[in-house]
Amino acid sequence: MNVVIGEQYVTGVAVEGTRGTFAAAQDFVRGREPATIQTVVDKVDIQETEGSGLATKGQVTTMKRVQGDAAVNMRFRTYGYWLKSLFGGVSSAVEAGETVVYRHSFTIDPTILQPTLSLSLARGTFGHKAINGAVVSQITENYSLDDVVNSTISLMGRTEVDNADFTPAFGDDDYLAPHQYVTIKIADDVAGLGAAPSICVTSITNEMNRNTREKGCLSSETAQDFIARLMNLTGSFTWDKTADTYKDLSESNTEKALQISIVNTGVTIGVASNPTLIYTFDRVNFTTEEDRSIDDAVTETVNWVAHGVTASLVNEKANYDAAA
C-alpha cells in the first residue's frame, strides 16, 4: 500500500524566462500545510430531448486549468516570488552600507500579463508534478498574537504534467516573521509615517487581490494565459479601543496613509541589516465596527480600503529575475 503523509508535499518556485515554459525551482517553500494546487476540470451537462426520462445524457469538458492555494508562513526570502507575480513590478538593489543584502521594491504594473512562475510539486512517493505559466491572483495575510505572520497565496496555472521526482532543499536564510516584529502606523501622508507612533493592535489582515481571470480560446480546452484586472487593496486591524479616533476618521471619510512594517530585529543579515517587509499604503479610507462585550474591554475593528501601495523587501537574495 502506497501511503504518503501530507508533510511530504512541498512546492518549489521559479520565475519563468519565457511565459508558459517550465523552469526548474529556484527555491523550495516551506508550507504550513500541503498546497491545494491541482488541475481543475470544468464540465457541462448535456441535456437533450430524447424521451429517456433522464436529466443528463453525458458531460463534455469545457475548461482545464490549474488552481489552488498555498498556505505559508511569511519568510523573507521566498515571499518575494509571490509579491513579484502579484504586483508585476520589482526593482532590486544592494542595500545602503551592505554588500550581500538587497532591497526589492515592488510596485503595481498595470500591464494585464503578470510575471509567470513555474511550480514544482514534490508529492512523496506519488508522481511529482510540474506546473507552468502560474500567476498569483491574491495574497491574504494574517497577523495575530498567537502565531507567526502567515499568508494564503492563491495561484492559477496553465497545465500540470508528470515530472521526474524533485528533491526539495531549503535555504537557511529564509527567516520567519514573528508577530512581535510587526508595527502598524497611520499618518496624514506618507512623509509623516516615519515619526508616527506605532498603534497597539491585537490582529491585522491584509488582502491584495489582482482579480486575475483565465484567458481562453474556443479552439482549446486549456487556459492559454491569465489576465490581471484591477487590484483591490483591503484590510483591517483590531484594537482594545481607547478613543473614537478611527470612528471619527470613518465618519468624516478622511484619507490617511498607512504602513505595516515587519522588521525581524532578532536576526542580523550582512553588516547591520534585518530581514524586512514594509507595505506603504499612501491613501486609505476607513470604516469601523465595535464589539461591546459586557464583561470585557470594548474592542474595535478598523477596516480599510487603500488606493495605492508599494512594498519593500530586504533579504539576502540578489534579485527575482528568471533563472539563467
Side-chain angles (χ1 to χ4, degrees), residues 31-190:
R32 284 173 65 89
E33 56 190 46
T36 62
I37 306 161
Q38 61 184 4
T39 299
V40 175
V41 181
D42 294 336
K43 302 176 183 180
V44 62
D45 290 336
I46 302 303
Q47 297 177 308
E48 295 178 317
T49 57
E50 289 183 348
S52 65
L54 298 175
T56 60
K57 310 304 187 292
Q59 285 187 329
V60 171
T61 298
T62 57
M63 173 71 76
K64 289 182 180 178
R65 65 191 181 282
V66 178
Q67 70 179 41
D69 295 332
V72 301
N73 294 321
M74 183 184 287
R75 287 182 174 269
F76 291 94
R77 178 185 175 90
T78 49
Y79 211 68
Y81 292 99
W82 314 130
L83 292 174
K84 175 172 182 172
S85 181
L86 184 78
F87 278 69
V90 58
S91 61
S92 302
V94 177
E95 181 74 336
E98 300 283 359
T99 57
V100 294
V101 177
Y102 305 87
R103 182 174 295 270
H104 314 281
S105 300
F106 298 87
T107 55
I108 298 173
D109 183 348
T111 303
I112 61 173
L113 295 179
Q114 300 164 250
T116 54
L117 307 173
S118 290
L119 305 177
S120 301
L121 302 186
R123 303 167 72 236
T125 56
F126 293 158
H128 291 209
K129 302 291 184 179
I131 295 171
N132 68 320
V135 296
V136 176
S137 59
Q138 181 172 312
I139 294 178
T140 303
E141 297 175 350
N142 301 292
Y143 304 68
S144 66
L145 293 174
D146 59 356
D147 208 341
V148 295
V149 181
N150 60 87
S151 302
T152 299
I153 313 298
S154 298
L155 292 148
M156 308 170 77
R158 295 195 200 180
T159 59
E160 175 190 42
V161 299
D162 294 336
N163 201 87
D165 285 1
F166 301 111
T167 304
F170 304 98
D172 58 7
D173 61 349
D174 202 10
Y175 303 106
L176 284 166
H179 73 77
Q180 58 267 36
Y181 299 118
V182 176
T183 59
I184 183 170
K185 296 181 176 183
I186 293 175
D188 289 341
D189 51 35
V190 171

Side-chain angles (χ1 to χ4, degrees), residues 162-306:
D162 294 336
N163 201 87
D165 285 1
F166 301 111
T167 304
F170 304 98
D172 58 7
D173 61 349
D174 202 10
Y175 303 106
L176 284 166
H179 73 77
Q180 58 267 36
Y181 299 118
V182 176
T183 59
I184 183 170
K185 296 181 176 183
I186 293 175
D188 289 341
D189 51 35
V190 171
L193 287 169
S198 176
I199 305 166
C200 179
V201 303
T202 55
S203 66
I204 304 172
T205 63
N206 179 32
E207 184 174 293
M208 300 173 288
N209 186 353
R210 198 67 194 260
N211 292 293
T212 308
R213 69 164 177 85
E214 301 94 347
K215 173 179 170 58
C217 294
L218 280 175
S219 56
S220 175
E221 67 178 15
T222 59
Q224 303 299 294
D225 209 325
F226 300 94
I227 292 176
R229 293 181 283 184
L230 302 181
M231 185 184 284
N232 292 119
L233 302 167
T234 58
S236 67
F237 65 82
T238 300
W239 70 315
D240 293 317
K241 183 170 180 171
T242 59
D244 279 335
T245 305
Y246 308 111
K247 180 176 182 291
D248 292 344
L249 289 177
S250 171
E251 292 177 356
S252 63
N253 201 30
T254 301
E255 285 188 352
K256 294 283 187 177
L258 183 148
Q259 188 173 79
I260 302 172
S261 302
I262 312 140
V263 183
N264 187 344
T265 55
V267 173
T268 299
I269 54 177
V271 177
S273 296
N274 309 110
T276 298
L277 175 59
I278 298 174
Y279 292 107
T280 302
F281 302 94
D282 56 346
R283 295 173 50 234
V284 176
N285 292 95
F286 301 96
T287 59
T288 61
E289 306 169 49
E290 282 188 6
D291 186 354
R292 306 169 184 178
S293 172
I294 196 170
D295 61 350
D296 202 347
V298 173
T299 62
E300 185 175 58
T301 297
V302 181
N303 305 291
W304 74 74
V305 175

